[in-house]
Amino acid sequence: MPRAATVSHRECNGLSNYYEPAMAESDLIAHKRLHLQKGSISPAQDGQVAIFGSRPRIQRNTYWASGLNSLDGGTVAGEDLDIDATWPPAFSSVVDTDVLIAGLPSKSHCKELVQVYLTSFASLFHVLHDPLFQSQYQSFEGDPRSVSLSWLALLYTTLATAVLALPQDSHVLVDLSRKRTAFESTADLTARYRGLAMKCLEADNYLWNNNLTTVQALVILIYSISHTHGPAWSLIGLACNIAVSIGCHVDPDAFDVDNVEKEQRRRCWAALMMLYTQQNATMGNIAPSRSMFQSNTRAPADVDDRDVALNLTGRGPTQMTYLLAKFRLYDLCTEVCELVLSTQQPDVYIISSIDARIQAEQRAWHARYMESGTSDEMPAYHYAHLNILYSYSGHLALLLHQHAMSDVRVVDRPTSWSRERSLQEAKRILAIHQEFESCARLAPFKWYNRGLGSFHAFHAAVVTIALLRVVSSEQETAELHELLQRSLECFQVMISDRRYLNASTLHTNRRSARAQAEATPLITPPLSADLPAASLGDAIDDLSNDFDWDALSNQIQPQQWLTPSNMPWEQLNTLVMV
């Protein structure tokens, strides 16, 4: 992927670039001319972002007009350029706005899906300012043609994402799709709404005419695609460059915009960097996004949406606490990969230091989220956030201490400590996995268990089985057997759901079901794919007795445990099950 063009403050002084923030439907900018150090930015008449150089005479949306001066070393005034009136060209697939609006579901279904998105996904990936989005949605309901095409694309991306959280017995799937199964209906609706989102962007000529809403639509679209393991790398590169072109990589304090606009810009940039880092990891690149993009944009404020406009801060957890905590964990993940997983003999002092920081993060979350009472008293989305943070940090701890899994004859103090920490985190991950499957409060977040949550649980189960060889206490062994059995039962439930979703698997063997599952958001680990429910207990004993971690680690690189996309599932199945 081409590296995104970025401009630092020093470069801004030399290029005299001007940025224009998006003019949203709420008229946040109110047709002001904004100023940024050596330049200014002006809203275009069509509400898009126009970028001007220091001597602009010709408006060019979303490209570095002033870059011409630095390329040839000369001075090129806008009026001296020979302009081709046919450029930029319109997309050939442009359709009428009424046709695009007609693709939406009924008002009741649309409203329900928007609410599902705000309940299930928005709190975990908090890019939008929910009150503003809801206000814009109400305006749209009153007059569908009052919104821009980019906002219509944003609406479609929220619908496409919301569909992924619908339960298999949802009436929405039956009402909106003619497919035979819930799984097929989910795939049908998701593809339909993503396609319509792209048609809206194309009708808006988004490659040249773009604003903050364009970036928001692309960010949520990429987030949705990432949950179904679809190809998103090219879209991420495109979204990053569009974000740069409207100045999201420059902290919005430099712009004359209100606090809501500032936070939306910071959230978009932060979300893109998170998606970039995640996609990088799936391709085996552990470099953090900041090494690829120069930016002085500050992290989003740790505040709730209702407090953004007033610039207030609170002591308890907010809608942004989770996302900011994940960024700190990504930094720790990079250190684990670079300083531990990439070496044959990792330094025990480095392992100890990183482990201490992981535990410090965990203590900080616990204190913050439990500040106002017990877990039963906190909002459901905060409870989900806390559990997911524990699951991901535990996953990092398992990666950090992976070296201790080999050669059970080694019983020195550092290795024994690493095994104790691994077992502690593995047990917690498995308990969290079971909580997401059984807790009614977490029902809106069950989609997490069908994806990354199951991968973390699978990793924890493998580690637990490996460590059964060194557990000396019969009581602890019995407890681990029970924990593993409950975990495997959770996987069995998901396999059953998968078969209900796809009736064709009813007459195929479990290996076929697993192979089909690899192409879906549901991760069906091979550890449970071939195990009849009646023999789960016996299977645990067999696996723990015959498990060969050294053979496993020789075939699978440590970094492949980072994400499910990296795992060679068929190869792993052979190593574990044979």
Side-chain angles (χ1 to χ4, degrees):
M1 186 199 72
R3 179 170 175 174
T6 58
V7 180
S8 66
H9 276 306
R10 292 189 302 273
E11 292 169 324
C12 283
N13 292 335
L15 292 178
S16 300
N17 284 310
Y18 295 76
Y19 307 87
E20 178 181 353
M23 180 178 291
E25 290 71 31
S26 59
D27 198 24
L28 291 173
I29 303 175
H31 296 276
K32 295 178 182 178
R33 177 174 294 272
L34 308 178
H35 296 276
L36 172 61
Q37 289 189 344
K38 294 289 186 178
S40 62
I41 50 181
S42 300
Q45 292 180 355
D46 56 3
Q48 307 298 334
V49 173
I51 298 178
F52 295 93
S54 57
R55 300 177 58 187
R57 292 296 181 272
I58 297 170
Q59 181 171 316
R60 275 292 179 268
N61 287 347
T62 64
Y63 88 105
W64 299 103
S66 61
L68 292 170
N69 293 348
S70 62
L71 291 177
D72 60 9
T75 300
V76 181
E79 59 265 35
D80 298 330
L81 298 177
D82 182 17
I83 300 302
D84 182 352
T86 65
W87 185 265
F91 285 94
S92 58
S93 59
V94 170
V95 296
D96 184 79
T97 301
D98 289 332
V99 174
L100 295 172
I101 294 174
L104 288 167
S106 67
K107 286 187 176 182
S108 60
H109 288 125
C110 194
K111 183 178 181 180
E112 183 172 350
L113 285 173
V114 167
Q115 189 57 45
V116 168
Y117 173 81
L118 293 174
T119 302
S120 299
F121 286 99
S123 64
L124 285 171
F125 194 67
H126 201 59
V127 177
L128 305 179
H129 183 267
D130 290 351
L132 176 60
F133 178 74
Q134 290 172 309
S135 173
Q136 293 167 335
Y137 180 72
Q138 292 300 321
S139 297
F140 167 77
E141 285 288 275
D143 181 8
R145 294 188 63 89
S146 65
V147 301
S148 66
L149 287 168
S150 58
W151 190 89
L152 189 58
L154 175 62
L155 177 59
Y156 272 120
T157 60
T158 61
L159 301 184
T161 309
V163 169
L164 299 175
L166 293 175
Q168 62 182 9
D169 58 352
S170 170
H171 71 95
V172 176
L173 296 176
V174 177
D175 294 345
L176 299 182
S177 176
R178 296 181 180 275
K179 297 297 183 179
R180 293 184 301 112
T181 68
F183 172 74
E184 292 172 332
S185 295
T186 300
D188 174 39
L189 294 176
T190 301
R192 182 191 308 173
Y193 296 143
R194 287 176 186 169
L196 284 165
M198 288 305 301
K199 286 185 179 297
C200 291
L201 292 175
E202 290 172 1
D204 202 33
N205 214 17
Y206 75 109
L207 291 182
W208 293 274
N209 301 322
N210 37 57
N211 56 26
L212 186 58
T213 310
T214 309
V215 177
Q216 289 173 327
L218 288 171
V219 166
I220 296 176
L221 177 63
I222 295 165
Y223 180 68
S224 174
I225 293 172
S226 70
H227 279 285
T228 54
H229 307 297
W233 192 233
S234 297
L235 271 180
I236 290 176
L238 173 65
C240 285
N241 280 284
I242 290 178
V244 167
S245 76
I246 66 171
C248 284
H249 64 308
V250 176
D251 191 79
D253 277 346
F255 301 150
D256 184 18
V257 294
D258 62 23
N259 289 332
V260 172
E261 174 83 5
K262 288 178 182 178
E263 284 309 306
Q264 286 191 111
R265 283 175 162 267
R266 290 181 180 127
R267 290 176 184 182
C268 271
W269 186 253
L272 275 173
M273 295 303 98
M274 176 175 286
L275 293 170
Y276 188 95
T277 300
Q278 290 174 342
Q279 190 69 19
N280 246 354
T282 65
M283 301 178 71
N285 186 350
I286 58 177
S289 56
R290 62 173 176 269
S291 66
M292 299 296 294
F293 297 94
Q294 296 180 27
S295 170
N296 75 328
T297 301
R298 289 188 293 140
D302 193 357
V303 297
D304 287 319
D305 285 344
R306 65 176 181 270
D307 297 327
V308 169
L310 302 176
N311 201 24
L312 299 176
T313 57
R315 293 183 56 192
T318 72
Q319 291 170 290
M320 292 302 300
T321 301
Y322 168 80
L323 198 64
L324 296 171
K326 282 295 288 287
F327 270 110
R328 294 192 296 272
L329 288 179
Y330 284 144
D331 287 340
L332 286 172
C333 180
T334 299
E335 293 187 37
V336 170
C337 293
E338 292 179 343
L339 302 178
V340 179
L341 298 186
S342 60
T343 64
Q344 291 293 328
Q345 298 292 331
D347 190 320
V348 294
Y349 296 104
I350 291 177
I351 292 174
S352 177
S353 174
I354 296 177
D355 185 89
R357 290 162 60 195
I358 290 175
Q359 293 192 64
E361 284 289 329
Q362 292 173 337
R363 288 192 296 271
W365 306 328
H366 187 86
R368 184 100 183 260
Y369 279 95
M370 296 296 184
E371 187 177 63
S372 58
T374 66
S375 60
D376 292 335
E377 296 171 331
M378 69 175 63
Y381 67 90
H382 279 329
Y383 186 52
H385 292 175
L386 183 59
N387 278 288
I388 294 173
L389 288 173
Y390 270 124
S391 181
Y392 185 76
S393 62
H395 181 67
L396 291 185
L398 297 185
L399 293 172
L400 177 67
H401 295 287
Q402 195 174 103
H403 68 287
M405 298 300 104
S406 61
D407 197 351
V408 295
R409 295 170 297 179
V410 177
V411 291
D412 58 77
R413 185 173 180 179
T415 302
S416 297
W417 170 73
S418 284
R419 288 170 180 164
E420 290 175 6
R421 285 286 296 126
S422 296
L423 196 55
Q424 177 187 11
E425 295 295 346
K427 289 162 64 176
R428 177 155 50 193
I429 291 171
L430 292 175
I432 290 171
H433 182 243
Q434 294 160 28
E435 181 75 355
F436 268 98
E437 195 63 31
S438 60
C439 180
R441 295 175 63 206
L442 295 177
F445 305 95
K446 268 195 173 183
W447 54 267
Y448 172 78
N449 241 23
R450 298 301 191 268
L452 201 57
S454 286
F455 178 66
H456 290 168
F458 171 59
H459 188 194
V462 172
V463 169
T464 302
I465 290 171
L467 290 175
L468 279 171
R469 300 172 298 168
V470 297
V471 173
S472 57
S473 166
E474 292 186 4
Q475 179 180 352
E476 186 175 12
T477 299
E479 291 174 354
L480 292 176
H481 276 220
E482 183 180 355
L483 186 63
L484 283 169
Q485 180 159 337
R486 290 200 304 268
S487 179
L488 291 174
E489 288 169 353
C490 285
F491 285 125
Q492 287 288 336
V493 169
M494 288 190 288
I495 291 174
S496 299
D497 289 345
R498 181 71 180 87
R499 289 180 169 183
Y500 174 84
L501 294 172
N502 190 348
S504 65
T505 62
L506 287 172
H507 305 291
T508 61
N509 59 36
R510 292 178 181 267
R511 291 181 182 274
S512 297
R514 188 191 67 252
Q516 290 181 359
E518 291 174 6
T520 74
L522 168 62
I523 298 170
T524 308
L527 185 61
S528 64
D530 292 310
L531 300 178
S535 61
L536 290 177
D538 294 338
I540 292 172
D541 289 329
D542 293 340
L543 284 174
S544 61
N545 292 331
D546 300 334
F547 193 86
D548 189 345
W549 181 272
D550 293 327
L552 181 68
S553 59
N554 287 335
Q555 295 295 323
I556 299 175
Q557 298 301 311
Q559 287 85 349
Q560 289 183 288
W561 287 99
L562 278 172
T563 67
S565 301
N566 283 340
M567 289 300 293
W569 291 108
E570 288 296 335
Q571 182 179 349
L572 184 62
N573 182 69
T574 301
L575 287 167
V576 174
M577 300 307 301
V578 172

